[in-house]
Amino acid sequence: MTSPFPTLPAKLHSLVRAFLDTPDAVAETLTRYGSPAHLIFPQVYSENLATLRAELDSRLPRHRICYAHKVNQARAFVRTAEHAGIAIDVASPYEFARAVGAGFTPTRIEVTGPKGEAFLRDLVGCGATVNVDNLWELRRIIELAEESARVPVLLRVSGFDAGQVSRFGVPLAHLPQAFDLLSTQRSRITFLGFAFHLDSGDLGERVRAIDACLAAVERAYDWGLAPSVLDIGGGFRQVFTADAERFDAYVLALRESLLGRGEPMSWSSNTFGYHIAGGAVHGTPVFHKYANTVPASGMLADLLDAPLERHGGRTVANVVGENLLELWLEPGKALVDHAGVTVATVEFVKELADGTVLVNVDLSRDSVTPADQEVMVDPIVLPGAGGEPAPAGCPTASHAIAESGPVGVYFAGRLCLERDLITNHKVWLPERPRPGDLVVFPNTAAYHMDLSAASASMHPLTAKLAVSRHSSGFQVVGDTDYEPHVPADLPPRPVVPHSPRRPPRPVRPAEAP
Ligand SMILES: *Cc1c(COP(=O)(O)O)cnc(C)c1O
């Protein structure tokens, strides 16, 4: 059924859809564990991992996937990653401890991001790979490391496109200083290779970064160094929308409304990053990622198959393979795409002086929205048990409203802050929700749950529950109680040992240092 109103239908994984469609499954989960709740689907994570692996396996024999822990704090995902035999990328002592607690040996842990003195002290000599962000960090590791510590180190580099400045990584122009240190401190440091991480979805930018790293590999040989790893980071995209045309139609209607045409569609004076001037809407909205239709696996395939001009048009996968480099990846959002939803309960529905309808839920914006973004997929309302009246003593509750038919609403959070709106754009629902109805926010596992979540007004952080499907039906457990189960026909992969040092086959012959 196509809606006569602008809508933003969410793509849902079939397993998540099946759980939401199981009569009373969501309601019983909230009755047992409380509302609101984040529901994690580790089996969807496993499927995402298998899809990425298949792209790598078919092109490159040597690769390593490091799950970027910062995308979600759930232990269930960390356990699933450990069980699947991949590595993990941690960015704090807390994530490091979580990884070790979930069974990762340090040789399967890579540490990225800015690291302070105390963290570095813990890292040298523990066996984990340090993805070095800057020259201070490299010098400090050398000072802290024992004479024969051989700390495995990746060097993060940045500044591939002219005029593009990143706060992370060693600028390409500063590499000689790093090479001097690396070549004279071989007993303290084992130089594995180069790393980068780009947040952009642009293929060309990534290809240029890979090309620059390959050139850096060649330069490193001049110092007698033998890099064997190329770490291309994360940034592989998610697909949120189930219908790109309806998404575009919604955005068109929203832009019209910002020009004062048609029904108002934005709360307060929000323009979503658009700039309105001269009777037109300009710029890129903050929510552009919700329009993406290329899945992470497609992005990865395009990258591996991209031709490298400097290498006679051979593909990235070919050149990396021929030079015996091991390709490392640090996917975060690509692994948790569709592997989580957030469920809240409608407390009351109220009407404002201008007729605006607010649906208040028992959740705040920061628990379902990453930082300042606007989430452009429609929440799904599941009718509650019998439409309970609004809580007594709430002067703004309006349970007299009982119209039927489609309605445009804004979802409002539970904090006493004007800005605690969960949607700043209007959402059309088939009918007006009632107190006790359940609201499902789709695809929240990547950054939506944890990146900004605070405990304002002393509300505790929203609980995480792991949902898995078994032959007997769905099972829900607390996040920390989840254990991956082994399907009888699918043994877990053997743990990949840390890449051994091996003689390089230089891109061009190494000169004596
Ligand atoms: C955040 C981060 C990632 C993961 O990024 P995604 O976009 O979630 O894939 C990987 N590597 C580094 C260094 C990061 O900071």
Side-chain angles (χ1 to χ4, degrees), residues 68 70-71 89 112-113 131 156 168 196-199 233-237 330-334 446-447:
K70 81 161 188 278
V71 71
D89 157 10
T112 60
N131 186 325
R156 179 162 175 178
F168 297 111
F196 66 85
H197 168 67
L198 298 172
D199 216 11
F236 297 93
R237 289 278 179 270
E330 298 161 351
K333 57 187 176 244
Y447 301 110

mmCIF file with all atom_site columns, all heavy atoms in Angstrom, residues 68 70-71 89 112-113 131 156 168 196-199 233-237 330-334 446-447, ligand 1:
data_model
loop_
_atom_site.group_PDB
_atom_site.id
_atom_site.type_symbol
_atom_site.label_atom_id
_atom_site.label_alt_id
_atom_site.label_comp_id
_atom_site.label_asym_id
_atom_site.label_entity_id
_atom_site.label_seq_id
_atom_site.pdbx_PDB_ins_code
_atom_site.Cartn_x
_atom_site.Cartn_y
_atom_site.Cartn_z
_atom_site.occupancy
_atom_site.B_iso_or_equiv
_atom_site.pdbx_formal_charge
_atom_site.auth_seq_id
_atom_site.auth_comp_id
_atom_site.auth_asym_id
_atom_site.auth_atom_id
_atom_site.pdbx_PDB_model_num
ATOM   1   N N   . ALA A 1 68  ? 35.375 -2.614 14.546 1.00 0.00 ? 68  ALA A N   1
ATOM   2   C CA  . ALA A 1 68  ? 35.560 -1.333 15.242 1.00 0.00 ? 68  ALA A CA  1
ATOM   3   C C   . ALA A 1 68  ? 34.554 -1.235 16.390 1.00 0.00 ? 68  ALA A C   1
ATOM   4   O O   . ALA A 1 68  ? 33.388 -0.894 16.203 1.00 0.00 ? 68  ALA A O   1
ATOM   5   C CB  . ALA A 1 68  ? 35.398 -0.174 14.273 1.00 0.00 ? 68  ALA A CB  1
ATOM   6   N N   . LYS A 1 70  ? 33.930 0.819  18.706 1.00 0.00 ? 70  LYS A N   1
ATOM   7   C CA  . LYS A 1 70  ? 33.282 2.063  19.134 1.00 0.00 ? 70  LYS A CA  1
ATOM   8   C C   . LYS A 1 70  ? 31.887 2.266  18.560 1.00 0.00 ? 70  LYS A C   1
ATOM   9   O O   . LYS A 1 70  ? 31.123 3.087  19.049 1.00 0.00 ? 70  LYS A O   1
ATOM   10  C CB  . LYS A 1 70  ? 34.168 3.269  18.800 1.00 0.00 ? 70  LYS A CB  1
ATOM   11  C CG  . LYS A 1 70  ? 34.105 3.766  17.365 1.00 0.00 ? 70  LYS A CG  1
ATOM   12  C CD  . LYS A 1 70  ? 34.640 5.218  17.302 1.00 0.00 ? 70  LYS A CD  1
ATOM   13  C CE  . LYS A 1 70  ? 34.428 5.846  15.941 1.00 0.00 ? 70  LYS A CE  1
ATOM   14  N NZ  . LYS A 1 70  ? 35.455 5.484  14.960 1.00 0.00 ? 70  LYS A NZ  1
ATOM   15  N N   . VAL A 1 71  ? 31.517 1.497  17.533 1.00 0.00 ? 71  VAL A N   1
ATOM   16  C CA  . VAL A 1 71  ? 30.210 1.670  16.905 1.00 0.00 ? 71  VAL A CA  1
ATOM   17  C C   . VAL A 1 71  ? 29.068 1.311  17.859 1.00 0.00 ? 71  VAL A C   1
ATOM   18  O O   . VAL A 1 71  ? 27.967 1.850  17.770 1.00 0.00 ? 71  VAL A O   1
ATOM   19  C CB  . VAL A 1 71  ? 30.133 0.838  15.600 1.00 0.00 ? 71  VAL A CB  1
ATOM   20  C CG1 . VAL A 1 71  ? 30.063 -0.653 15.885 1.00 0.00 ? 71  VAL A CG1 1
ATOM   21  C CG2 . VAL A 1 71  ? 28.966 1.254  14.744 1.00 0.00 ? 71  VAL A CG2 1
ATOM   22  N N   . ASP A 1 89  ? 39.188 -3.803 16.785 1.00 0.00 ? 89  ASP A N   1
ATOM   23  C CA  . ASP A 1 89  ? 39.808 -2.480 16.840 1.00 0.00 ? 89  ASP A CA  1
ATOM   24  C C   . ASP A 1 89  ? 39.213 -1.767 18.050 1.00 0.00 ? 89  ASP A C   1
ATOM   25  O O   . ASP A 1 89  ? 38.010 -1.547 18.112 1.00 0.00 ? 89  ASP A O   1
ATOM   26  C CB  . ASP A 1 89  ? 39.494 -1.756 15.515 1.00 0.00 ? 89  ASP A CB  1
ATOM   27  C CG  . ASP A 1 89  ? 39.572 -0.243 15.586 1.00 0.00 ? 89  ASP A CG  1
ATOM   28  O OD1 . ASP A 1 89  ? 40.046 0.309  16.594 1.00 0.00 ? 89  ASP A OD1 1
ATOM   29  O OD2 . ASP A 1 89  ? 39.137 0.401  14.608 1.00 0.00 ? 89  ASP A OD2 1
ATOM   30  N N   . THR A 1 112 ? 43.395 1.808  18.052 1.00 0.00 ? 112 THR A N   1
ATOM   31  C CA  . THR A 1 112 ? 43.400 3.000  17.195 1.00 0.00 ? 112 THR A CA  1
ATOM   32  C C   . THR A 1 112 ? 43.009 4.228  18.015 1.00 0.00 ? 112 THR A C   1
ATOM   33  O O   . THR A 1 112 ? 42.708 4.126  19.204 1.00 0.00 ? 112 THR A O   1
ATOM   34  C CB  . THR A 1 112 ? 42.398 2.851  16.032 1.00 0.00 ? 112 THR A CB  1
ATOM   35  O OG1 . THR A 1 112 ? 41.101 2.678  16.575 1.00 0.00 ? 112 THR A OG1 1
ATOM   36  C CG2 . THR A 1 112 ? 42.740 1.678  15.144 1.00 0.00 ? 112 THR A CG2 1
ATOM   37  N N   . GLY A 1 113 ? 43.002 5.377  17.343 1.00 0.00 ? 113 GLY A N   1
ATOM   38  C CA  . GLY A 1 113 ? 42.533 6.605  17.975 1.00 0.00 ? 113 GLY A CA  1
ATOM   39  C C   . GLY A 1 113 ? 43.618 7.281  18.786 1.00 0.00 ? 113 GLY A C   1
ATOM   40  O O   . GLY A 1 113 ? 44.752 6.803  18.881 1.00 0.00 ? 113 GLY A O   1
ATOM   41  N N   . ASN A 1 131 ? 48.071 1.120  16.441 1.00 0.00 ? 131 ASN A N   1
ATOM   42  C CA  . ASN A 1 131 ? 47.891 1.912  15.225 1.00 0.00 ? 131 ASN A CA  1
ATOM   43  C C   . ASN A 1 131 ? 48.253 3.348  15.608 1.00 0.00 ? 131 ASN A C   1
ATOM   44  O O   . ASN A 1 131 ? 47.465 4.067  16.225 1.00 0.00 ? 131 ASN A O   1
ATOM   45  C CB  . ASN A 1 131 ? 46.425 1.777  14.775 1.00 0.00 ? 131 ASN A CB  1
ATOM   46  C CG  . ASN A 1 131 ? 46.147 2.439  13.442 1.00 0.00 ? 131 ASN A CG  1
ATOM   47  O OD1 . ASN A 1 131 ? 46.731 3.474  13.120 1.00 0.00 ? 131 ASN A OD1 1
ATOM   48  N ND2 . ASN A 1 131 ? 45.237 1.865  12.681 1.00 0.00 ? 131 ASN A ND2 1
ATOM   49  N N   . ARG A 1 156 ? 49.432 5.310  11.077 1.00 0.00 ? 156 ARG A N   1
ATOM   50  C CA  . ARG A 1 156 ? 48.277 5.917  10.407 1.00 0.00 ? 156 ARG A CA  1
ATOM   51  C C   . ARG A 1 156 ? 48.743 7.142  9.644  1.00 0.00 ? 156 ARG A C   1
ATOM   52  O O   . ARG A 1 156 ? 49.436 7.996  10.205 1.00 0.00 ? 156 ARG A O   1
ATOM   53  C CB  . ARG A 1 156 ? 47.211 6.295  11.429 1.00 0.00 ? 156 ARG A CB  1
ATOM   54  C CG  . ARG A 1 156 ? 45.989 6.946  10.776 1.00 0.00 ? 156 ARG A CG  1
ATOM   55  C CD  . ARG A 1 156 ? 44.793 6.930  11.689 1.00 0.00 ? 156 ARG A CD  1
ATOM   56  N NE  . ARG A 1 156 ? 43.673 7.658  11.120 1.00 0.00 ? 156 ARG A NE  1
ATOM   57  C CZ  . ARG A 1 156 ? 42.494 7.765  11.696 1.00 0.00 ? 156 ARG A CZ  1
ATOM   58  N NH1 . ARG A 1 156 ? 42.280 7.203  12.872 1.00 0.00 ? 156 ARG A NH1 1
ATOM   59  N NH2 . ARG A 1 156 ? 41.520 8.440  11.128 1.00 0.00 ? 156 ARG A NH2 1
ATOM   60  N N   . PHE A 1 168 ? 43.688 13.388 12.434 1.00 0.00 ? 168 PHE A N   1
ATOM   61  C CA  . PHE A 1 168 ? 44.326 12.108 12.739 1.00 0.00 ? 168 PHE A CA  1
ATOM   62  C C   . PHE A 1 168 ? 45.430 11.781 11.739 1.00 0.00 ? 168 PHE A C   1
ATOM   63  O O   . PHE A 1 168 ? 45.400 12.193 10.588 1.00 0.00 ? 168 PHE A O   1
ATOM   64  C CB  . PHE A 1 168 ? 43.289 10.978 12.720 1.00 0.00 ? 168 PHE A CB  1
ATOM   65  C CG  . PHE A 1 168 ? 42.226 11.137 13.767 1.00 0.00 ? 168 PHE A CG  1
ATOM   66  C CD1 . PHE A 1 168 ? 40.917 11.432 13.416 1.00 0.00 ? 168 PHE A CD1 1
ATOM   67  C CD2 . PHE A 1 168 ? 42.540 11.027 15.112 1.00 0.00 ? 168 PHE A CD2 1
ATOM   68  C CE1 . PHE A 1 168 ? 39.941 11.591 14.380 1.00 0.00 ? 168 PHE A CE1 1
ATOM   69  C CE2 . PHE A 1 168 ? 41.574 11.187 16.084 1.00 0.00 ? 168 PHE A CE2 1
ATOM   70  C CZ  . PHE A 1 168 ? 40.269 11.472 15.717 1.00 0.00 ? 168 PHE A CZ  1
ATOM   71  N N   . PHE A 1 196 ? 44.954 3.833  7.244  1.00 0.00 ? 196 PHE A N   1
ATOM   72  C CA  . PHE A 1 196 ? 44.191 5.083  7.158  1.00 0.00 ? 196 PHE A CA  1
ATOM   73  C C   . PHE A 1 196 ? 42.746 4.766  7.492  1.00 0.00 ? 196 PHE A C   1
ATOM   74  O O   . PHE A 1 196 ? 42.334 3.593  7.529  1.00 0.00 ? 196 PHE A O   1
ATOM   75  C CB  . PHE A 1 196 ? 44.322 5.733  5.765  1.00 0.00 ? 196 PHE A CB  1
ATOM   76  C CG  . PHE A 1 196 ? 43.698 4.950  4.629  1.00 0.00 ? 196 PHE A CG  1
ATOM   77  C CD1 . PHE A 1 196 ? 42.346 5.080  4.335  1.00 0.00 ? 196 PHE A CD1 1
ATOM   78  C CD2 . PHE A 1 196 ? 44.465 4.091  3.851  1.00 0.00 ? 196 PHE A CD2 1
ATOM   79  C CE1 . PHE A 1 196 ? 41.771 4.362  3.277  1.00 0.00 ? 196 PHE A CE1 1
ATOM   80  C CE2 . PHE A 1 196 ? 43.902 3.372  2.800  1.00 0.00 ? 196 PHE A CE2 1
ATOM   81  C CZ  . PHE A 1 196 ? 42.555 3.511  2.516  1.00 0.00 ? 196 PHE A CZ  1
ATOM   82  N N   . HIS A 1 197 ? 41.968 5.783  7.772  1.00 0.00 ? 197 HIS A N   1
ATOM   83  C CA  . HIS A 1 197 ? 40.527 5.620  7.969  1.00 0.00 ? 197 HIS A CA  1
ATOM   84  C C   . HIS A 1 197 ? 39.850 6.862  7.438  1.00 0.00 ? 197 HIS A C   1
ATOM   85  O O   . HIS A 1 197 ? 40.214 7.976  7.822  1.00 0.00 ? 197 HIS A O   1
ATOM   86  C CB  . HIS A 1 197 ? 40.190 5.421  9.451  1.00 0.00 ? 197 HIS A CB  1
ATOM   87  C CG  . HIS A 1 197 ? 38.722 5.527  9.736  1.00 0.00 ? 197 HIS A CG  1
ATOM   88  N ND1 . HIS A 1 197 ? 37.807 4.599  9.275  1.00 0.00 ? 197 HIS A ND1 1
ATOM   89  C CD2 . HIS A 1 197 ? 37.998 6.461  10.398 1.00 0.00 ? 197 HIS A CD2 1
ATOM   90  C CE1 . HIS A 1 197 ? 36.595 4.969  9.659  1.00 0.00 ? 197 HIS A CE1 1
ATOM   91  N NE2 . HIS A 1 197 ? 36.678 6.091  10.342 1.00 0.00 ? 197 HIS A NE2 1
ATOM   92  N N   . LEU A 1 198 ? 38.918 6.662  6.530  1.00 0.00 ? 198 LEU A N   1
ATOM   93  C CA  . LEU A 1 198 ? 38.191 7.793  5.955  1.00 0.00 ? 198 LEU A CA  1
ATOM   94  C C   . LEU A 1 198 ? 36.716 7.630  6.273  1.00 0.00 ? 198 LEU A C   1
ATOM   95  O O   . LEU A 1 198 ? 36.192 6.529  6.221  1.00 0.00 ? 198 LEU A O   1
ATOM   96  C CB  . LEU A 1 198 ? 38.374 7.832  4.429  1.00 0.00 ? 198 LEU A CB  1
ATOM   97  C CG  . LEU A 1 198 ? 39.793 8.017  3.895  1.00 0.00 ? 198 LEU A CG  1
ATOM   98  C CD1 . LEU A 1 198 ? 39.818 7.837  2.387  1.00 0.00 ? 198 LEU A CD1 1
ATOM   99  C CD2 . LEU A 1 198 ? 40.332 9.384  4.285  1.00 0.00 ? 198 LEU A CD2 1
ATOM   100 N N   . ASP A 1 199 ? 36.074 8.737  6.573  1.00 0.00 ? 199 ASP A N   1
ATOM   101 C CA  . ASP A 1 199 ? 34.665 8.688  6.911  1.00 0.00 ? 199 ASP A CA  1
ATOM   102 C C   . ASP A 1 199 ? 33.791 8.831  5.661  1.00 0.00 ? 199 ASP A C   1
ATOM   103 O O   . ASP A 1 199 ? 32.592 8.653  5.724  1.00 0.00 ? 199 ASP A O   1
ATOM   104 C CB  . ASP A 1 199 ? 34.349 9.814  7.903  1.00 0.00 ? 199 ASP A CB  1
ATOM   105 C CG  . ASP A 1 199 ? 33.318 9.366  8.916  1.00 0.00 ? 199 ASP A CG  1
ATOM   106 O OD1 . ASP A 1 199 ? 33.045 8.148  8.960  1.00 0.00 ? 199 ASP A OD1 1
ATOM   107 O OD2 . ASP A 1 199 ? 32.784 10.233 9.633  1.00 0.00 ? 199 ASP A OD2 1
ATOM   108 N N   . GLY A 1 233 ? 41.032 0.797  7.074  1.00 0.00 ? 233 GLY A N   1
ATOM   109 C CA  . GLY A 1 233 ? 40.064 1.389  7.991  1.00 0.00 ? 233 GLY A CA  1
ATOM   110 C C   . GLY A 1 233 ? 38.631 0.937  7.760  1.00 0.00 ? 233 GLY A C   1
ATOM   111 O O   . GLY A 1 233 ? 38.381 -0.140 7.210  1.00 0.00 ? 233 GLY A O   1
ATOM   112 N N   . GLY A 1 234 ? 37.697 1.782  8.213  1.00 0.00 ? 234 GLY A N   1
ATOM   113 C CA  . GLY A 1 234 ? 36.262 1.465  8.072  1.00 0.00 ? 234 GLY A CA  1
ATOM   114 C C   . GLY A 1 234 ? 35.597 2.464  7.150  1.00 0.00 ? 234 GLY A C   1
ATOM   115 O O   . GLY A 1 234 ? 36.186 2.889  6.165  1.00 0.00 ? 234 GLY A O   1
ATOM   116 N N   . GLY A 1 235 ? 34.368 2.844  7.513  1.00 0.00 ? 235 GLY A N   1
ATOM   117 C CA  . GLY A 1 235 ? 33.652 3.822  6.700  1.00 0.00 ? 235 GLY A CA  1
ATOM   118 C C   . GLY A 1 235 ? 32.765 3.196  5.639  1.00 0.00 ? 235 GLY A C   1
ATOM   119 O O   . GLY A 1 235 ? 32.239 3.904  4.782  1.00 0.00 ? 235 GLY A O   1
ATOM   120 N N   . PHE A 1 236 ? 32.601 1.862  5.683  1.00 0.00 ? 236 PHE A N   1
ATOM   121 C CA  . PHE A 1 236 ? 31.737 1.211  4.696  1.00 0.00 ? 236 PHE A CA  1
ATOM   122 C C   . PHE A 1 236 ? 30.286 1.445  5.090  1.00 0.00 ? 236 PHE A C   1
ATOM   123 O O   . PHE A 1 236 ? 29.896 1.231  6.227  1.00 0.00 ? 236 PHE A O   1
ATOM   124 C CB  . PHE A 1 236 ? 32.091 -0.275 4.583  1.00 0.00 ? 236 PHE A CB  1
ATOM   125 C CG  . PHE A 1 236 ? 33.500 -0.461 4.088  1.00 0.00 ? 236 PHE A CG  1
ATOM   126 C CD1 . PHE A 1 236 ? 34.546 -0.598 4.985  1.00 0.00 ? 236 PHE A CD1 1
ATOM   127 C CD2 . PHE A 1 236 ? 33.778 -0.395 2.739  1.00 0.00 ? 236 PHE A CD2 1
ATOM   128 C CE1 . PHE A 1 236 ? 35.856 -0.708 4.536  1.00 0.00 ? 236 PHE A CE1 1
ATOM   129 C CE2 . PHE A 1 236 ? 35.080 -0.496 2.277  1.00 0.00 ? 236 PHE A CE2 1
ATOM   130 C CZ  . PHE A 1 236 ? 36.126 -0.648 3.171  1.00 0.00 ? 236 PHE A CZ  1
ATOM   131 N N   . ARG A 1 237 ? 29.508 1.867  4.122  1.00 0.00 ? 237 ARG A N   1
ATOM   132 C CA  . ARG A 1 237 ? 28.185 2.439  4.366  1.00 0.00 ? 237 ARG A CA  1
ATOM   133 C C   . ARG A 1 237 ? 27.084 1.448  4.752  1.00 0.00 ? 237 ARG A C   1
ATOM   134 O O   . ARG A 1 237 ? 27.187 0.255  4.495  1.00 0.00 ? 237 ARG A O   1
ATOM   135 C CB  . ARG A 1 237 ? 27.730 3.181  3.105  1.00 0.00 ? 237 ARG A CB  1
ATOM   136 C CG  . ARG A 1 237 ? 28.496 4.473  2.851  1.00 0.00 ? 237 ARG A CG  1
ATOM   137 C CD  . ARG A 1 237 ? 27.910 5.573  3.692  1.00 0.00 ? 237 ARG A CD  1
ATOM   138 N NE  . ARG A 1 237 ? 28.590 6.842  3.520  1.00 0.00 ? 237 ARG A NE  1
ATOM   139 C CZ  . ARG A 1 237 ? 29.644 7.245  4.252  1.00 0.00 ? 237 ARG A CZ  1
ATOM   140 N NH1 . ARG A 1 237 ? 30.150 6.472  5.184  1.00 0.00 ? 237 ARG A NH1 1
ATOM   141 N NH2 . ARG A 1 237 ? 30.178 8.420  4.051  1.00 0.00 ? 237 ARG A NH2 1
ATOM   142 N N   . GLU A 1 330 ? 38.716 -2.173 9.084  1.00 0.00 ? 330 GLU A N   1
ATOM   143 C CA  . GLU A 1 330 ? 38.188 -1.878 10.428 1.00 0.00 ? 330 GLU A CA  1
ATOM   144 C C   . GLU A 1 330 ? 36.713 -1.485 10.340 1.00 0.00 ? 330 GLU A C   1
ATOM   145 O O   . GLU A 1 330 ? 36.341 -0.362 10.668 1.00 0.00 ? 330 GLU A O   1
ATOM   146 C CB  . GLU A 1 330 ? 38.975 -0.718 11.055 1.00 0.00 ? 330 GLU A CB  1
ATOM   147 C CG  . GLU A 1 330 ? 40.445 -0.975 11.265 1.00 0.00 ? 330 GLU A CG  1
ATOM   148 C CD  . GLU A 1 330 ? 41.247 0.314  11.450 1.00 0.00 ? 330 GLU A CD  1
ATOM   149 O OE1 . GLU A 1 330 ? 40.695 1.427  11.255 1.00 0.00 ? 330 GLU A OE1 1
ATOM   150 O OE2 . GLU A 1 330 ? 42.434 0.227  11.771 1.00 0.00 ? 330 GLU A OE2 1
ATOM   151 N N   . PRO A 1 331 ? 35.852 -2.374 9.896  1.00 0.00 ? 331 PRO A N   1
ATOM   152 C CA  . PRO A 1 331 ? 34.444 -1.987 9.758  1.00 0.00 ? 331 PRO A CA  1
ATOM   153 C C   . PRO A 1 331 ? 33.739 -1.881 11.109 1.00 0.00 ? 331 PRO A C   1
ATOM   154 O O   . PRO A 1 331 ? 33.946 -2.721 11.986 1.00 0.00 ? 331 PRO A O   1
ATOM   155 C CB  . PRO A 1 331 ? 33.845 -3.118 8.921  1.00 0.00 ? 331 PRO A CB  1
ATOM   156 C CG  . PRO A 1 331 ? 34.723 -4.305 9.182  1.00 0.00 ? 331 PRO A CG  1
ATOM   157 C CD  . PRO A 1 331 ? 36.083 -3.787 9.533  1.00 0.00 ? 331 PRO A CD  1
ATOM   158 N N   . GLY A 1 332 ? 32.946 -0.836 11.271 1.00 0.00 ? 332 GLY A N   1
ATOM   159 C CA  . GLY A 1 332 ? 32.105 -0.692 12.453 1.00 0.00 ? 332 GLY A CA  1
ATOM   160 C C   . GLY A 1 332 ? 30.656 -0.817 12.017 1.00 0.00 ? 332 GLY A C   1
ATOM   161 O O   . GLY A 1 332 ? 30.034 -1.867 12.133 1.00 0.00 ? 332 GLY A O   1
ATOM   162 N N   . LYS A 1 333 ? 30.152 0.273  11.428 1.00 0.00 ? 333 LYS A N   1
ATOM   163 C CA  . LYS A 1 333 ? 28.725 0.302  11.076 1.00 0.00 ? 333 LYS A CA  1
ATOM   164 C C   . LYS A 1 333 ? 28.330 -0.772 10.077 1.00 0.00 ? 333 LYS A C   1
ATOM   165 O O   . LYS A 1 333 ? 27.204 -1.263 10.114 1.00 0.00 ? 333 LYS A O   1
ATOM   166 C CB  . LYS A 1 333 ? 28.334 1.692  10.577 1.00 0.00 ? 333 LYS A CB  1
ATOM   167 C CG  . LYS A 1 333 ? 29.106 2.205  9.397  1.00 0.00 ? 333 LYS A CG  1
ATOM   168 C CD  . LYS A 1 333 ? 28.725 3.671  9.136  1.00 0.00 ? 333 LYS A CD  1
ATOM   169 C CE  . LYS A 1 333 ? 29.540 4.253  8.013  1.00 0.00 ? 333 LYS A CE  1
ATOM   170 N NZ  . LYS A 1 333 ? 30.407 5.356  8.476  1.00 0.00 ? 333 LYS A NZ  1
ATOM   171 N N   . ALA A 1 334 ? 29.264 -1.175 9.195  1.00 0.00 ? 334 ALA A N   1
ATOM   172 C CA  . ALA A 1 334 ? 28.909 -2.194 8.202  1.00 0.00 ? 334 ALA A CA  1
ATOM   173 C C   . ALA A 1 334 ? 28.587 -3.521 8.880  1.00 0.00 ? 334 ALA A C   1
ATOM   174 O O   . ALA A 1 334 ? 27.757 -4.285 8.389  1.00 0.00 ? 334 ALA A O   1
ATOM   175 C CB  . ALA A 1 334 ? 30.052 -2.375 7.207  1.00 0.00 ? 334 ALA A CB  1
ATOM   176 N N   . ALA A 1 446 ? 24.267 1.107  14.896 1.00 0.00 ? 446 ALA A N   1
ATOM   177 C CA  . ALA A 1 446 ? 25.497 1.824  14.548 1.00 0.00 ? 446 ALA A CA  1
ATOM   178 C C   . ALA A 1 446 ? 25.453 3.263  15.040 1.00 0.00 ? 446 ALA A C   1
ATOM   179 O O   . ALA A 1 446 ? 24.790 4.107  14.442 1.00 0.00 ? 446 ALA A O   1
ATOM   180 C CB  . ALA A 1 446 ? 25.725 1.801  13.041 1.00 0.00 ? 446 ALA A CB  1
ATOM   181 N N   . TYR A 1 447 ? 26.110 3.538  16.119 1.00 0.00 ? 447 TYR A N   1
ATOM   182 C CA  . TYR A 1 447 ? 26.289 4.873  16.701 1.00 0.00 ? 447 TYR A CA  1
ATOM   183 C C   . TYR A 1 447 ? 25.012 5.470  17.300 1.00 0.00 ? 447 TYR A C   1
ATOM   184 O O   . TYR A 1 447 ? 25.095 6.321  18.175 1.00 0.00 ? 447 TYR A O   1
ATOM   185 C CB  . TYR A 1 447 ? 26.886 5.852  15.667 1.00 0.00 ? 447 TYR A CB  1
ATOM   186 C CG  . TYR A 1 447 ? 28.229 5.399  15.138 1.00 0.00 ? 447 TYR A CG  1
ATOM   187 C CD1 . TYR A 1 447 ? 28.368 4.961  13.830 1.00 0.00 ? 447 TYR A CD1 1
ATOM   188 C CD2 . TYR A 1 447 ? 29.350 5.373  15.965 1.00 0.00 ? 447 TYR A CD2 1
ATOM   189 C CE1 . TYR A 1 447 ? 29.607 4.513  13.347 1.00 0.00 ? 447 TYR A CE1 1
ATOM   190 C CE2 . TYR A 1 447 ? 30.584 4.936  15.493 1.00 0.00 ? 447 TYR A CE2 1
ATOM   191 C CZ  . TYR A 1 447 ? 30.706 4.510  14.180 1.00 0.00 ? 447 TYR A CZ  1
ATOM   192 O OH  . TYR A 1 447 ? 31.915 4.063  13.713 1.00 0.00 ? 447 TYR A OH  1
HETATM 193 C C1  . LIG B 2 .   ? 35.339 4.865  13.815 1.00 0.00 ? 1   LIG B C1  1
HETATM 194 C C2  . LIG B 2 .   ? 36.476 4.168  13.216 1.00 0.00 ? 1   LIG B C2  1
HETATM 195 C C3  . LIG B 2 .   ? 36.270 3.021  12.442 1.00 0.00 ? 1   LIG B C3  1
HETATM 196 C C4  . LIG B 2 .   ? 34.902 2.469  12.130 1.00 0.00 ? 1   LIG B C4  1
HETATM 197 O O1  . LIG B 2 .   ? 34.219 3.296  11.251 1.00 0.00 ? 1   LIG B O1  1
HETATM 198 P P1  . LIG B 2 .   ? 32.843 2.847  10.573 1.00 0.00 ? 1   LIG B P1  1
HETATM 199 O O2  . LIG B 2 .   ? 32.493 4.036  9.764  1.00 0.00 ? 1   LIG B O2  1
HETATM 200 O O3  . LIG B 2 .   ? 31.874 2.574  11.664 1.00 0.00 ? 1   LIG B O3  1
HETATM 201 O O4  . LIG B 2 .   ? 33.123 1.650  9.745  1.00 0.00 ? 1   LIG B O4  1
HETATM 202 C C5  . LIG B 2 .   ? 37.387 2.358  11.941 1.00 0.00 ? 1   LIG B C5  1
HETATM 203 N N1  . LIG B 2 .   ? 38.630 2.820  12.175 1.00 0.00 ? 1   LIG B N1  1
HETATM 204 C C6  . LIG B 2 .   ? 38.862 3.936  12.908 1.00 0.00 ? 1   LIG B C6  1
HETATM 205 C C7  . LIG B 2 .   ? 40.270 4.387  13.118 1.00 0.00 ? 1   LIG B C7  1
HETATM 206 C C8  . LIG B 2 .   ? 37.794 4.653  13.450 1.00 0.00 ? 1   LIG B C8  1
HETATM 207 O O5  . LIG B 2 .   ? 38.037 5.755  14.150 1.00 0.00 ? 1   LIG B O5  1
#
